[in-house]
Amino acid sequence: MSTSTPYPRVPRLSFREFTPADIPAVHDYASDAEVTRWSTWGPNTLDQTAAFVEGASRAQGEPDRSAYSLAAVLDGRPIGSVAVWTTDPHDRNGELGYTFHRAHWGQGYATEAVGRLLSLGFETLRLERISATCHPGNAGSIRVLEKSGFTLEGRLRSHRLVRGVRRDSLLFSILRNGHPGPVQPISE
């Protein structure tokens, strides 16, 4: 029996399920207005952060799990949240997203995380297409998605209502056969 975790390490990060003990570390970045500037949520109150962590923890035991929301961990401490989920089980489409503490921006952690999310989405969730959206002004996220092999599909006009204001989003996607890493079907 293997002793490895179900979320293997990428070059510098490891990934694991959230626990209630993570609330302070998650709140450290989820309450930061600069971190949440481009997101559709936040800055979080402590209650909102606790609800997020508790919701992610509850999903761990779901049979036929269709979503993974994980802590991105560096040196034993969560520095970000990453997620991949199924949006359409019939067509095998999904989405992914990520948020990192601002002290860890520009160091390649998001790109490493997206690579792992793609493997989790294509291998475990058996998705054929994974998309991601971001605000047109979020240059860092655009770079991450492009470096990860995503293709810009277009601009979704007035796509989100964020803090009372309509805003556009850029839509990116990658297909299973466009994923640069090996993707092996999961045997039944």
Side-chain angles (χ1 to χ4, degrees), residues 64-102:
D64 301 322
R65 192 168 177 181
S66 64
Y68 290 84
S69 184
L70 305 170
V73 179
L74 180 68
D75 298 328
R77 180 175 169 84
I79 64 163
S81 306
V82 301
V84 61
W85 61 96
T86 302
T87 56
D88 185 328
H90 173 76
D91 291 328
R92 296 167 59 192
N93 292 326
E95 290 185 35
L96 63 74
Y98 45 87
T99 301
F100 282 86
H101 192 289
R102 140 166 59 149

Side-chain angles (χ1 to χ4, degrees), residues 143-154:
R143 278 192 307 276
V144 166
L145 294 170
E146 290 173 342
K147 286 192 299 188
S148 299
F150 280 74
T151 300
L152 175 62
E153 291 190 350

Side-chain angles (χ1 to χ4, degrees), residues 100-149:
F100 282 86
H101 192 289
R102 140 166 59 149
H104 301 284
W105 288 357
Q107 299 174 46
Y109 294 120
T111 303
E112 291 180 19
V114 168
R116 180 61 187 131
L117 291 172
L118 290 173
S119 293
L120 190 58
F122 290 132
E123 296 171 17
T124 302
L125 296 177
R126 297 178 159 208
L127 300 172
E128 290 295 325
R129 178 181 188 278
I130 298 175
S131 62
T133 59
C134 70
H135 187 284
N138 190 343
S141 210
I142 292 168
R143 278 192 307 276
V144 166
L145 294 170
E146 290 173 342
K147 286 192 299 188
S148 299

